[in-house]
Amino acid sequence: MEQILLMHPDIQYIKAFYFNMNMMSSTLILVITSIILLILLFPLFFFLRRRVDISLENEVLVLKSPFNTEKIDLDKALRSWKVQEAYYLRWGKFSAISMLFENGRRKNISSMYNQSNYDVLHRFLNTKFKSREIAG
């Protein structure tokens, strides 16, 4: 009798439905967990991205971010620099300093996130390295 019940088509359908429901619930839990993690990490990413402090020590540019500190000797490493401007409908006009170094790397400092850092660097580059500016 027990074997007959296990072989009955309705019982097989119920087993398949139960298996699919378990699989759907685990998939749903995985999707919801991923969304919650993304929501939590999104503000953290943008907070850390904007946290770059700039200081100038003689002609050495010191960039301090939450995870590392980078020192760049502008007199030796800076090949050229230029100011680029962008107009956003919501936020208005922003400027960025794009610096090209001798090793081929680029570094961009934007006025969007920290206007005071941008102003200090722009003033310094205009006074010390005006000859290396490229017209934008």
Side-chain angles (χ1 to χ4, degrees):
M1 182 74 172
E2 200 172 297
Q3 289 179 348
I4 294 173
L5 281 177
L6 290 177
M7 298 302 289
H8 195 274
D10 291 338
I11 299 293
Q12 295 299 324
Y13 176 74
I14 291 171
K15 282 183 179 179
F17 180 75
Y18 180 73
F19 176 73
N20 285 339
M21 287 302 292
N22 276 341
M23 196 166 167
M24 282 185 2
S25 66
S26 63
T27 305
L28 186 63
I29 289 172
L30 181 67
V31 167
I32 289 173
T33 305
S34 300
I35 290 171
I36 290 171
L37 283 174
L38 285 174
I39 289 171
L40 291 175
L41 291 177
F42 191 72
L44 182 67
F45 171 73
F46 278 104
F47 173 72
L48 293 177
R49 186 177 138 208
R50 291 187 272 174
R51 292 281 311 178
V52 176
D53 295 324
I54 296 175
S55 62
L56 292 163
E57 300 167 358
N58 297 330
E59 292 183 359
V60 176
L61 177 67
V62 180
L63 302 170
K64 295 178 186 174
S65 63
F67 299 116
N68 65 354
T69 300
E70 186 177 357
K71 292 184 178 184
I72 303 169
D73 187 1
L74 292 176
D75 192 35
K76 295 176 186 172
L78 183 66
R79 182 185 303 168
S80 63
W81 67 279
K82 66 180 175 179
V83 175
Q84 298 173 329
E85 295 180 345
Y87 296 94
Y88 295 103
L89 290 176
R90 285 188 185 173
W91 303 299
K93 176 182 157 186
F94 290 102
S95 301
I97 296 174
S98 178
M99 297 179 286
L100 177 63
F101 298 107
E102 292 295 334
N103 61 3
R105 288 183 46 212
R106 287 193 179 275
K107 198 63 136 173
N108 294 315
I109 307 297
S110 175
S111 67
M112 181 181 257
Y113 300 117
N114 198 340
Q115 182 71 36
S116 62
N117 282 342
Y118 173 83
D119 290 338
V120 168
L121 183 61
H122 188 256
R123 214 173 308 114
F124 178 76
L125 290 174
N126 262 337
T127 57
K128 296 279 185 171
F129 300 105
K130 184 71 174 168
S131 62
R132 298 183 192 179
E133 182 179 12
I134 298 173

